[in-house]
């Protein structure tokens, strides 16, 4: 279940570079398209808002980039924890069985002590009479 280590860093870095390049190209294409639309469209007021709206989204885009960069480490860490948890299941069954046995033993000893106490009280009553 754990991700294989070694050799993945290069591929991960190149994938990040490709994604960053594609995002840059998309933003540049969008900007070019907006300029063309501004030059040819009668509704300049509406189109003037678009670059500001796009700039307002920059922090969200950056945050998304940070989350995507951290995602492989998070998934790998989660995978490791799940794997360890699965390895602990047999031990957990043993602990549950031990606790069950301890509970039974305590109940049996309490029941036995109550019976002994009742017998002692009964004998004391009979000998005192």
């Amino acid at each position: 279940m754990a991700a294989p280590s070694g050799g993945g860093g290069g591929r991960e870095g190149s994938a990040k570079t490709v994604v960053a390049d594609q995002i840059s190209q998309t933003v540049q294409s969008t900007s070019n398209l907006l300029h063309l639309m501004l030059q040819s469209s009668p509704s300049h007021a509406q189109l003037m808002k678009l670059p500001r709206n796009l700039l307002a989204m920059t922090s969200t885009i950056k945050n998304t980039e940070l989350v995507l960069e951290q995602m492989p480490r998070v998934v790998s860490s989660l995978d490791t924890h799940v794997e360890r948890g699965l390895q602990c299941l047999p031990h957990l069954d043993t602990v549950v069985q031990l606790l069950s046995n301890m509970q039974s033993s305590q109940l049996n000893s309490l029941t036995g002590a109550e019976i002994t106490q009742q017998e002692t009280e009964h004998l004391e009553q009979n000998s005192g009479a």
Side-chain angles (χ1 to χ4, degrees):
M1 237 180 168
S5 61
R11 284 180 280 165
E12 192 175 298
S14 65
K16 287 179 190 176
T17 303
V18 168
V19 170
D21 288 345
Q22 289 176 345
I23 290 172
S24 295
Q25 289 174 3
T26 302
V27 169
Q28 185 62 43
S29 296
T30 303
S31 176
N32 291 341
L33 180 61
L34 287 173
H35 287 296
L36 288 172
M37 291 171 71
L38 279 172
Q39 293 170 359
S40 63
S41 175
S43 57
H44 291 289
Q46 291 286 353
L47 292 173
M48 290 300 287
K49 294 179 184 176
L50 288 176
R52 279 182 263 141
N53 291 342
L54 189 59
L55 286 175
M57 300 293 286
T58 303
S59 65
T60 303
I61 293 168
K62 279 288 186 193
N63 289 338
T64 303
E65 177 186 5
L66 293 173
V67 169
L68 289 174
E69 283 179 1
Q70 294 174 5
M71 195 62 72
R73 287 185 297 259
V74 171
V75 169
S76 178
S77 178
L78 181 61
D79 187 43
T80 300
H81 287 296
V82 168
E83 187 69 32
R84 286 184 186 149
L86 290 173
Q87 290 172 357
C88 291
L89 281 177
H91 301 296
L92 185 60
D93 288 339
T94 303
V95 169
V96 168
Q97 185 62 44
L98 285 171
L99 290 173
S100 177
N101 291 345
M102 287 173 58
Q103 184 180 21
S104 293
S105 175
Q106 287 175 348
L107 288 175
N108 288 340
S109 67
L110 287 175
T111 305
E114 287 175 7
I115 291 172
T116 304
Q117 184 179 5
Q118 288 173 355
E119 288 176 353
T120 304
E121 289 173 1
H122 182 66
L123 287 174
E124 288 175 356
Q125 287 174 355
N126 287 340
S127 65

